[in-house]
Amino acid sequence: MTQPTAAEAAPAPRPRTHGGQTAVPCWFLRGGTSRGPFFRSADLPADRAARDAVLLAAMGSPDPRQIDGLGGANPLTSKAGIVGPGSRPDVDLDFTFAQLQPGSDLVDTTANCGNMLAAVVPFAVESGLLVPDGDLTTARVLTRNTGLVAEISIRTPSAEPSEDGIPAGRYVAYAGDTAIDGVPGTASAVTIGFLDTEGSVCSALLPTGNVRDRVEAPGVGPVDVTCIDNGQPLVIVNAADLGRTGHESAEALNADARLKERLEALRLVCGELMGLGDVTAKNYPKMTLVSPPAHGGTITTRSFIPHVCHASIGVLAAVTAATACVLDGSVAAELADVPPGDDVDVSVEHPSGEFTVRLGLSQDTPRRVERSALVRTARLIMAGDVLVPRGAHRPTQP
């Protein structure tokens, strides 16, 4: 892998117009079980408010159907990625994840998304931010939202030479035999190794200082929870403590208004306990119902993000839930069937199947997670320009 030249990394020229609209270069990718538009940071306004206006216009928010944009009327398909050259000597790329909501005009860049992270290196190659020089391209990516660093590897084979023998360069291989639950078919593997994920948003892995807390919330009563952040702030609660099995379908849970009311009341109380303040307008912590495994895995989960039950589970939510399974005394640990050893494969069951997280446990500190890794897939769906109303793109430079 080689770094982009200075010319490639230079700021883009003034925005191009297309009739009465502005054309913004855009690559639309699926990453894991999420999808959304990706942008080079130089192609967007530097001013945050102006940048957010472009993202909102591109996605068609606020509108529950997102009928006037690229959004898919669901939080999982209302996401965007912004990527630029690495801002530090130890990283190759900077990634800013943006969570939008169909019916809201808020753009949240405070949390991570491990699924969209899987598309960052493919996007960087497609957009010219990285030039691969081998069959396997590995890049260190800094998630600017939280400071998390990940090493991501993708396959970049050589294209067939032209008829006159001229080399055609390398490309991102999307075809492969890796299957992930929640995505149809198979694709090429994207390997993600996470570094220093403890306390990604919170102050520590266990932000309350406890592996288990007993809390009360309006309409909930006293209930045991584990508040944990190993890449994604989660509140883990035994589904049985809320009168549910934890094996209900996502559709059934999304229709369960009473449960969602209680989960939100609990989330607000736990957000304060985790040092996150008033989380009413925030997309974290995520609420995670756990129950014993039903299909030979380690733990069963139902993840709320935070007001809609995930059709599967987010990457970093899976890493965090898996971590809770190996912490003695946690709500998850008492229900989990964890295999022995220092390198543990934790199978996190979810509504669409399962998600395997490999945890490297410390040999010196019992059940302390030193590293985590997993496999996702990604695919480029569209490359071109997204057109936004002229007024949405307000450049800050003359």
Side-chain angles (χ1 to χ4, degrees), residues 191-218:
T191 303
I192 306 175
F194 292 107
L195 310 174
D196 300 324
T197 51
E198 290 190 6
S200 67
V201 176
C202 301
S203 59
L205 175 69
L206 299 170
T208 69
N210 306 311
V211 73
R212 180 190 290 251
D213 293 281
R214 192 161 183 81
V215 301
E216 292 193 44

Side-chain angles (χ1 to χ4, degrees), residues 15-382:
R16 295 179 295 107
T17 59
H18 184 93
Q21 301 189 84
T22 299
V24 184
C26 169
W27 288 255
F28 198 85
L29 292 99
R30 176 185 62 78
T33 55
S34 297
R35 64 171 171 81
F38 278 73
F39 302 90
R40 292 178 299 212
S41 55
D43 293 328
L44 294 175
D47 176 74
R48 176 168 180 164
R51 179 203 69 188
D52 289 355
V54 172
L55 296 179
L56 289 164
M59 299 301 289
S61 292
D63 170 48
R65 296 180 300 161
Q66 293 179 315
I67 195 67
D68 202 34
L70 299 174
N74 185 286
L76 297 179
T77 53
S78 188
K79 302 180 176 184
I82 304 168
V83 183
S87 58
R88 301 180 345 202
D90 62 327
V91 298
D92 303 299
L93 298 166
D94 281 9
F95 168 52
T96 298
F97 164 64
Q99 176 69 67
L100 293 88
Q101 299 293 339
S104 169
D105 62 357
L106 297 178
V107 179
D108 184 5
T109 57
T110 59
N112 286 325
C113 177
N115 276 302
M116 291 289 276
L117 183 63
V120 170
V121 177
F123 163 76
V125 174
E126 298 285 4
S127 63
L129 290 170
L130 291 179
V131 180
D133 61 2
D135 289 341
L136 186 71
T137 293
T138 299
R140 287 172 67 96
V141 178
L142 168 66
T143 300
R144 294 186 63 87
N145 302 51
T146 65
L148 177 148
V149 176
E151 286 189 345
I152 304 175
S153 298
I154 62 171
R155 290 198 303 120
T156 49
S158 295
E160 293 293 329
S162 63
E163 292 183 358
D164 53 7
I166 299 176
R170 295 184 177 276
Y171 66 97
V172 179
Y174 295 109
D177 57 6
T178 298
I180 61 173
D181 289 327
V183 177
T186 63
S188 182
V190 178
T191 303
I192 306 175
F194 292 107
L195 310 174
D196 300 324
T197 51
E198 290 190 6
S200 67
V201 176
C202 301
S203 59
L205 175 69
L206 299 170
T208 69
N210 306 311
V211 73
R212 180 190 290 251
D213 293 281
R214 192 161 183 81
V215 301
E216 292 193 44
V220 180
V223 62
D224 284 358
V225 300
T226 291
C227 298
I228 182 171
D229 177 4
N230 196 24
Q232 185 73 260
L234 298 187
V235 176
I236 296 178
V237 59
N238 188 333
D241 288 346
L242 297 177
R244 305 300 185 272
T245 67
H247 298 105
E248 295 88 352
S249 68
E251 293 77 12
L253 293 174
N254 280 325
D256 192 338
R258 176 58 180 155
L259 173 66
K260 293 200 291 185
E261 288 174 2
R262 298 171 74 196
L263 284 176
E264 181 63 6
L266 193 58
R267 191 177 79 91
L268 296 179
V269 171
C270 291
E272 295 283 355
L273 289 177
M274 297 169 77
L276 300 172
D278 182 1
V279 297
T280 302
K282 296 177 181 177
N283 289 305
Y284 55 82
K286 316 290 189 187
M287 303 302 296
T288 305
L289 301 181
V290 292
S291 56
H295 304 289
T298 305
I299 192 80
T300 296
T301 61
R302 294 295 185 263
S303 177
F304 286 77
I305 54 170
H307 307 121
V308 174
C309 184
H310 203 306
S312 54
I313 188 171
V315 169
L316 292 164
V319 170
T320 302
T323 301
C325 290
V326 303
L327 296 181
D328 292 340
S330 78
V331 171
E334 68 181 12
L335 302 171
D337 183 10
V338 181
D342 294 331
D343 286 313
V344 177
D345 283 345
V346 177
S347 174
V348 180
E349 297 181 1
H350 55 72
S352 300
E354 73 86 37
F355 193 132
T356 297
V357 179
R358 171 156 291 185
L359 300 179
L361 306 183
S362 171
Q363 296 181 351
D364 300 323
T365 305
R367 314 311 276 180
R368 181 182 184 276
V369 175
E370 291 187 329
R371 59 194 180 278
S372 57
L374 46 86
V375 173
R376 296 274 83 189
T377 64
R379 187 172 78 86
L380 176 66
I381 298 171
M382 181 281 295

